[in-house]
Amino acid sequence: MPIVKISSSLSTYYESSGTDSPVVFIHPPHMGHNVFKYQHELSDHFRVITYDIQGHGRSGISCEKVTISRLTADLSAFLDALGIDQVTIVGYSAGGSIAQDFALTHPERVKALVLSGGFPQVSTFILKKQYQLGMALVRTGKRELLSKLLARSHKVTKEDQRMLLDECLQAHPQSAYDFYKQSMNYRCTHRLHNLHCPLFLLYGQFSHTRPYVELYKRQVPQMESALVSKSFHQIPIKSYRSFNHALFSFLKYV
């Protein structure tokens, strides 16, 4: 079982395949590294690294409160433990909060930033409601219902659904709640002009976060974006072939 100790109180579970340029994937709250199971198909071209943030999946729980800054520091320590100086960061949904914060805090370590369904702040009605629902289900002890909803909405196969459900149920309630809350309150719109690495945005055609692409265009004119047709928000897994193709097409020129 690949686990690294990134502090005296925190162990991080990860999976790695391939040996070339490293690409690290960051999952959203109450999920884990398996939401990126199909991205390991890219290991012929990159070193694909997926991991569980603290309090999720098979990773431990830190004695420190979960904040985006804390999770960014965890990612930095994780890369140090793996001996990685520079990396491409891929953040999915709320995992993009950590991805963006890392790119802004450690610009020298980021080769490229990729956001799947990304947003620099929570400002739309539907996204706010999504956050509020997730937080309410965790807070009221309905984690099993939340886990079933996430597993069902992300599955490609029945095996995926069982695997994702088991992983979601491993999430520590307070850690998941804090990740939801901290990401909901995270804002970096006013800092986006400080992104100097290549930025690539991926959205599903019917994703509720798709409107954010216009905000990014205003703040980061040099960014690139792609739209996955006939898809919703869960494109890393539900539309993994299109996602992987778009990611490879972008990164081969970075």
Side-chain angles (χ1 to χ4, degrees):
M1 183 180 295
I3 291 178
V4 293
K5 197 87 168 175
I6 66 170
S7 74
S8 59
S9 62
L10 180 60
S11 297
T12 297
Y13 178 88
Y14 73 100
E15 294 187 357
S16 176
S17 58
T19 58
D20 292 326
S21 180
V23 183
V24 172
F25 295 81
I26 308 175
H27 64 80
H30 215 268
M31 299 199 75
H33 73 279
N34 278 318
V35 75
F36 300 117
K37 63 172 286 187
Y38 292 107
Q39 275 60 69
H40 284 281
E41 294 181 1
L42 292 166
S43 61
D44 287 343
H45 309 286
F46 312 105
R47 181 183 179 188
V48 176
I49 302 169
T50 60
Y51 76 107
D52 294 330
I53 72 164
Q54 63 164 284
H56 291 70
R58 304 181 195 179
S59 287
I61 300 172
S62 171
C63 58
E64 299 185 47
K65 180 178 174 61
V66 172
T67 64
I68 298 302
S69 295
R70 178 67 265 157
L71 298 178
T72 296
D74 288 349
L75 175 55
S76 182
F78 173 60
L79 295 177
D80 288 344
L82 296 184
I84 296 173
D85 294 323
Q86 193 175 49
V87 67
T88 292
I89 300 291
V90 182
Y92 165 46
S93 193
S97 299
I98 303 169
Q100 290 172 103
D101 195 64
F102 187 84
L104 290 163
T105 306
H106 302 283
E108 74 286 351
R109 303 194 72 170
V110 180
K111 185 177 181 181
L113 173 63
V114 179
L115 302 175
S116 176
F119 42 90
Q121 63 185 68
V122 176
S123 56
T124 65
F125 176 80
I126 295 177
L127 189 55
K128 285 180 181 177
K129 289 301 178 183
Q130 181 186 28
Y131 267 94
Q132 290 168 358
L133 174 61
M135 293 167 67
L137 290 174
V138 174
R139 181 58 80 191
T140 57
K142 298 178 180 177
R143 293 193 311 114
E144 185 171 356
L145 174 58
L146 176 59
S147 298
K148 288 179 177 179
L149 290 172
L150 289 171
R152 184 175 180 81
S153 65
H154 285 80
K155 60 101 174 173
V156 176
T157 66
K158 285 293 185 181
E159 180 185 352
D160 291 342
Q161 188 170 350
R162 289 190 295 270
M163 175 189 62
L164 293 169
L165 176 60
D166 289 344
E167 186 169 68
C168 288
L169 289 172
Q170 293 180 62
H172 183 262
Q174 190 62 53
S175 297
Y177 181 86
D178 288 342
F179 187 6
Y180 269 121
K181 184 175 181 180
Q182 292 294 321
S183 180
M184 184 175 70
N185 294 329
Y186 181 75
R187 289 171 173 79
C188 66
T189 305
H190 63 291
R191 301 169 62 201
L192 288 176
H193 66 278
N194 290 322
L195 283 175
H196 301 300
C197 63
L199 172 63
F200 184 46
L201 306 177
L202 276 160
Y203 294 97
Q205 181 180 1
F206 308 121
S207 173
H208 59 294
T209 62
R210 180 182 169 187
Y212 282 99
V213 71
E214 296 303 323
L215 190 155
Y216 282 105
K217 282 181 180 178
R218 292 194 296 270
Q219 299 294 325
V220 192
Q222 72 274 22
M223 69 89 183
E224 297 181 41
S225 64
L227 194 66
V228 179
S229 65
K230 300 178 182 179
S231 298
F232 289 87
H233 186 60
Q234 305 89 348
I235 56 174
I237 188 165
K238 296 281 283 188
S239 302
Y240 67 90
R241 291 186 180 89
S242 296
F243 178 91
N244 288 353
H245 176 74
L247 183 59
F248 171 72
S249 297
F250 171 71
L251 291 181
K252 69 181 180 180
Y253 295 113
V254 172

